[in-house]
DNA sequence: GGCCTCACG
DNA sequence: ACGTACGTGAGGCCC
């Protein structure tokens, strides 16, 4: 076997990764997506090729010999957008950290260096692989030199391979003739112009026939295609020039020693730390933990499994102002507790013998009266130990969420990195892999001690920095007065859950099945064949190809069959209505009838999880199951709400804010006209229509009201004429006219929204009335789409977020009053602007009063916060 | 695991 | 010119 060298075109692969993948942003706000993509490709090719030597070539900013020879030459690289440019040094830093040789040479492009080294290596008898995104490099292919080109197909990255033969097969010309081909057809990516009127087909034909541009010119008279012939005769000089530009130099004076480029251990400590810093988590498991975690903390960890020891430990903990705690447990059990007394006394207490979950709960409960328990996730802890809402706790996950709500996870190792100067500690996945807590506990794995201790340690240590940053950013009040109390409110809601009648749900599902099967038959009949109606792909083919319905492509992968497209086709094609009904029923059956049925627990109730650290705006979300998207808009779906019932002796009281977001807008913008409108209006959309269209209130038509309502929504979403036009099925021009009229009617609104965008650009974030922040990095993007998105976000988030703050305040206050007044009634659901209370019948008047007072009183706005309330024996009736 | 579709505010 | 309304979660398909 020959030795092999892998040569990489640095810029071209980075470019490809940048355009082919979604961008990522590191915790410090650096763009990193292209570097990530580059490394992914690098690792893959290394594994496939297993080269002994490796070098990455980069272009230089200086003019090259091509510039000197041809003054008009503009260079082969397009100017890089800022988001890509800043990643270049990052990539070079990473390559340096991995000990990978990089080369560049003033006066030459990376291509030339690759060409030179490929040739020299071949001469030494080595095998060569060249990795580039640029097909120009195919001219270097030979029996010994393999060209590899990454290509994105169907979302997957394929890396094509070309030796000499494959070039011949694909392009019907030899590698060296690739240059001739380019000279004729040009290459826009490479700024090679080619000659007019000759495309790929003609160029290939000519080069196949005549071998070179020169020879084709010599035989020009024989060329049968008139346009190609004339163009070649006329533009021969241009073709010659292009030929020279396209030719890669293979004898540049680059200094290179193979020995320096020997592939060593890429997985160094420096590379590991950089991967952590850039948040490249999927790469971390490539590193050998023993090598990269030299400064292990494990000497500070102690397992305490005897009862006396634990007693002493809790006594010592009680002397501390704060301790870090981590409770290991899941739905099936409680396995142990990590306890950090300070930075270097960290204990693990496994659940065993006398240290039962009940014992730990009791100890922590009493500890929390005077000592602050710092935890990564207090609500999760509350599932194993009982704490009163007055307990002293610090929730690191929530604090970190407030400081940056855009992250998807807030794990301890991320927090350590982000708030302890990049401190690297192993993540749960690194310690346990895919082994469950339960399994690890049963097998007494030592990693459990490490996990609990690292977590408790982090919780203890990050509290200070988090608190400091929350105060710096003026979010301390949001944290202490809204989010932290909400932990207990949500925990209570989760524990109560809501009763669901399983049998009725099943009946409902069975009825759906009957109709679904009817529709299925009907649809198959009309289509003339059986197919999977649930497959958009198959459905698209049936509708738009087989049945020939005009509708056209829309998505990357095929035809769009979404409801808004199908609805437009429905009048002319009966099958479409059946499909729409089928879809609706299939959704109800799978997501709701079956989905909800599967999560009813032994107590006959559904216990959703309310997540407090998910949304970018400050709303909560609901999962497993999602109880915030139970159907209501269509009657058939709405019927599902009949299976949500209160316990005997209770009724539901459902209270929702009326147009809270528009009211927030009125308040925050201070628009007198809109505020006045709310003071007098029964029907704000109708009044908006009357004011925007300058007509008396009584003369507003239903259509005008509908349009005004859509504009009101649009304003809250960060208005755009395109979005509004889509929603109302009108032209952009008409939509723009509506928006303009709206702004004329409510003159302060435009200034307010513009101000939000301005603030977002200036400060990098926008804020709610209560100081909650949302960063808007998209506003700095050079990409129009992203920037526009940033503008809409800047307009929407303060409004949606303020409404979220208000209902959170209301929830806390309602929850507290129910407790303080020792009522049996309980808060069970929140759906963004709505609260559902399972109310003890005797307490109906009192609870109604509480809801009204606390919801209306949650914030004092320039307009009243109006609350609608309904009572019922199930959720359907209470709405 | 990504994409499409659709349920909610 | 670009190709969109803001914020979510879940199920089914298909690679």
């Amino acid at each position: 076997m020959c030795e092999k060298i892998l040569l990489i075109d640095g810029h071209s692969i980075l470019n490809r990764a940048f355009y082919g993948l979604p961008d990522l942003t590191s915790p410090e706000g650096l763009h990193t997506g292209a570097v990530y993509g580059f490394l992914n490709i690098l690792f893959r090719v290394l594994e496939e090729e297993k080269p002994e030597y490796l070098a990455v070539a980069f272009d230089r900013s200086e003019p090259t010999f091509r510039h000197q020879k041809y003054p008009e030459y503009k260079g082969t690289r397009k100017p890089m957008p800022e988001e890509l440019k800043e990643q270049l040094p990052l990539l070079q830093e990473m390559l340096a950290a991995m000990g990978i040789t990089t080369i560049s040479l003033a006066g030459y492009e990376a291509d030339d260096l690759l060409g030179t080294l490929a040739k020299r290596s071949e001469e030494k008898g080595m095998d060569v692989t060249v990795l580039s995104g640029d097909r120009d490099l195919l001219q270097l292919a030979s029996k010994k030199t393999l060209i590899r080109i990454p290509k994105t197909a169907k979302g997957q990255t394929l890396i094509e391979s070309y030796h000499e033969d494959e070039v011949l097969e694909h392009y019907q010309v030899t590698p060296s003739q690739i240059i001739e081909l380019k000279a004729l057809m040009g290459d826009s990516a490479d700024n090679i112009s080619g000659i007019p009127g000759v495309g790929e087909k003609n160029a290939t034909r000519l080069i196949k026939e005549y071998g070179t541009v020169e020879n084709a010119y010599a035989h020009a008279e024989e060329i049968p295609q008139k346009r190609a012939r004339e163009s070649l005769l006329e533009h021969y000089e241009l073709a010659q020039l292009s030929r020279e530009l396209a030719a890669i130099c293979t004898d540049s004076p680059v200094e290179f020693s193979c020995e320096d480029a020997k592939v060593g251990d890429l997985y160094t400590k420096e590379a590991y730390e950089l991967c952590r810093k850039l948040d490249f988590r999927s790469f971390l498991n490539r590193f050998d933990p023993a090598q990269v975690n030299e400064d292990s903390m494990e000497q500070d960890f102690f397992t305490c499994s005897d009862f006396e020891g634990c007693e002493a430990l809790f006594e010592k903990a009680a002397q501390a102002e704060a301790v870090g705690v981590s409770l290991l447990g899941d739905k099936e059990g409680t396995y142990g507790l990590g306890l950090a007394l300070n930075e270097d006394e960290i204990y693990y207490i496994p659940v065993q013998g006398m240290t039962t979950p009940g014992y730990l709960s009791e100890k922590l409960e009493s500890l929390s009266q005077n000592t602050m328990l710092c935890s990564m996730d207090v609500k999760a802890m509350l599932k194993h130990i009982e704490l009163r809402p007055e307990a002293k706790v610090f929730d690191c996950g929530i604090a970190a969420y407030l400081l940056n709500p855009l992250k998807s996870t807030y794990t301890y190792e991320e927090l350590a990195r982000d708030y302890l100067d990049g401190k690297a500690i192993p993540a749960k996945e690194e310690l346990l892999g895919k082994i469950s807590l339960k399994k690890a506990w049963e097998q007494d794995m030592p990693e459990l001690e490490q996990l609990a201790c690292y977590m408790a340690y982090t919780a203890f240590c990050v509290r200070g920095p988090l608190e400091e940053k929350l105060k710096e950013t003026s979010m301390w009040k949001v944290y202490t007065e809204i989010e932290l109390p909400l932990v207990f409110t949500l925990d209570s809601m989760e524990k109560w859950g809501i009763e669901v009648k399983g049998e009725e749900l099943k009946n409902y599902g069975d009825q759906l099945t009957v109709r679904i099967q009817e529709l299925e038959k009907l649809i198959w009949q009309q289509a003339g064949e059986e197919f999977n109606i649930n497959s958009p792909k198959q459905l698209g083919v049936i509708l738009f190809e087989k049945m020939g319905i005009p509708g056209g492509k829309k998505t990357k992968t095929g035809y769009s069959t979404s409801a808004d497209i199908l609805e437009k086709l429905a009048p002319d094609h009966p099958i479409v209505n059946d499909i729409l009904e089928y879809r609706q029923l299939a959704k109800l059956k799978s997501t709701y009838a079956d989905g909800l049925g599967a999560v009813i627990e032994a107590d006959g109730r559904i216990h959703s999880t309310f997540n407090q650290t998910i949304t970018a705006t400050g709303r909560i979300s609901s999962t497993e199951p999602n109880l915030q998207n139970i159907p209501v808009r269509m009657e058939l779906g709405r019927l599902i709400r009949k299976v949500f019932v209160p316990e005997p002796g209770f009724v539901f009281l459902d209270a929702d804010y009326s147009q809270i977001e528009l009211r927030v807008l009125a308040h925050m913008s201070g628009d007198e006209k809109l505020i006045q409108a709310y003071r007098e209006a029964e029907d704000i959309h109708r009044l908006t229509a009357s004011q925007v269209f300058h007509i008396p209130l009584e003369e507003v038509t239903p259509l005008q009201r509908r349009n005004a309502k859509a504009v009101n929504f649009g304003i809250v979403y960060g208005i755009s004429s395109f979005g509004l036009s889509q929603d109302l099925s009108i032209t952009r021009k008409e939509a723009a006219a509506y928006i303009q009229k709206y702004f004329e009617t409510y003159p302060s609104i435009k200034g307010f929204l513009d101000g939000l965008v301005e603030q977002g650009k200036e400060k990098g974030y926008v804020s709610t009335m209560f100081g909650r922040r949302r960063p808007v990095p998209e506003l700095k993007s050079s990409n129009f789409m992203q920037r526009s998105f940033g503008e809409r976000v800047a307009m929407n988030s303060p409004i949606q977020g303020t409404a979220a703050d208000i209902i959170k305040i209301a929830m806390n206050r309602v929850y507290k009053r129910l407790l303080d007044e020792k009522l049996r009634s309980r808060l069970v659901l929140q759906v963004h602007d709505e609260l559902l209370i399972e109310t003890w019948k005797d307490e109906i008047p009192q609870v109604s009063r509480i809801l009204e007072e606390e919801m209306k009183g949650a914030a004092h706005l320039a307009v009243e916060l109006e609350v609608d309330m309904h009572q019922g024996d199930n959720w359907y009736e209470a709405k």
Side-chain angles (χ1 to χ4, degrees), chain A residues 3-14:
Chain A
E3 287 193 307
K4 189 189 279 183
I5 183 165
L6 171 61
L7 300 166
I8 299 178
D9 185 345
H11 273 108
S12 126
I13 297 295
L14 191 66

Side-chain angles (χ1 to χ4, degrees), chain A residues 599-647:
Chain A
V599 291
I600 301 174
E601 295 186 16
D603 59 357
R605 298 174 78 98
I606 286 181
H607 301 264
S608 176
T609 301
F610 295 100
N611 203 310
Q612 217 176 330
T613 60
I614 293 287
T615 71
T617 53
R619 281 186 174 182
I620 58 171
S621 87
S622 156
T623 51
E624 288 178 89
N626 182 354
L627 291 184
Q628 291 183 320
N629 71 348
I630 303 302
V632 68
R633 294 174 191 168
M634 304 287 289
E635 180 58 22
L636 181 63
R638 191 176 189 143
L639 291 172
I640 292 179
R641 294 180 173 233
K642 292 195 171 184
V643 308
F644 288 82
V645 293
E647 206 182 310

Side-chain angles (χ1 to χ4, degrees), chain A residues 770-799:
Chain A
F770 299 89
R772 179 193 305 276
R773 293 184 182 185
R774 164 163 188 182
V776 197
E778 296 89 350
L779 284 173
K780 286 203 166 65
S781 171
S782 60
N783 178 304
F784 172 85
M785 274 297 303
Q786 291 215 13
R787 207 168 51 246
S788 307
F789 173 70
E791 289 167 3
R792 294 194 295 270
V793 158
M795 295 188 261
N796 169 263
S797 295
I799 301 173

Side-chain angles (χ1 to χ4, degrees), chain A residues 64-230:
Chain A
T64 69
F65 68 89
R66 292 184 178 84
H67 291 93
Q68 282 163 7
K69 242 169 147 176
Y70 314 104
E72 317 83 274
Y73 180 64
K74 297 208 177 57
T76 61
R77 302 288 178 203
K78 282 190 283 186
M80 285 184 176
E82 204 42 51
E83 291 89 335
L84 178 55
K85 210 183 273 173
E86 67 181 45
Q87 297 191 52
L88 196 57
L90 219 52
L91 172 63
Q92 285 168 335
E93 190 186 345
M94 179 67 83
L95 294 175
M98 301 199 305
I100 295 174
T101 302
T102 57
I103 45 173
S104 66
L105 182 63
Y108 291 87
E109 290 170 26
D111 289 6
D112 302 314
L113 307 182
L114 298 174
T116 303
L117 296 184
K119 188 173 154 207
R120 286 190 206 163
S121 307
E122 255 195 54
E123 283 166 358
K124 283 201 229 165
M126 293 164 75
D127 281 330
V128 180
T129 298
V130 177
L131 175 65
S132 174
D134 189 345
R135 290 184 183 268
D136 237 22
L137 275 289
L138 290 173
Q139 63 186 271
L140 299 176
S142 71
K143 295 238 174 336
K144 300 277 285 178
T145 296
L146 174 71
I147 310 298
R148 304 212 56 187
I149 300 175
K151 192 180 157 189
T152 311
K154 294 180 185 175
Q156 299 241 325
T157 304
L158 279 171
I159 310 181
E160 296 178 333
S161 302
Y162 295 91
H163 272 114
E164 191 174 338
D165 292 347
E166 283 87 16
V167 174
L168 208 55
E169 194 180 310
H170 272 84
Y171 293 89
Q172 300 166 17
V173 299
T174 65
S176 62
Q177 286 175 333
I178 292 280
I179 308 169
E180 315 288 334
L181 217 53
K182 291 255 155 126
L184 293 179
M185 62 186 265
D187 184 340
S188 60
D190 248 348
N191 262 339
I192 292 169
S193 55
I195 61 176
V198 177
E200 188 179 343
K201 270 198 174 157
N202 266 327
T204 307
R205 194 178 295 139
L206 291 175
I207 298 306
K208 256 175 82 177
E209 175 84 22
Y210 302 107
T212 63
V213 174
E214 197 179 6
N215 196 38
Y217 180 68
H219 294 85
E221 300 306 330
E222 303 165 13
I223 298 171
Q225 295 80 12
K226 182 160 175 275
R227 184 144 163 66
R229 180 176 64 237
E230 286 173 358

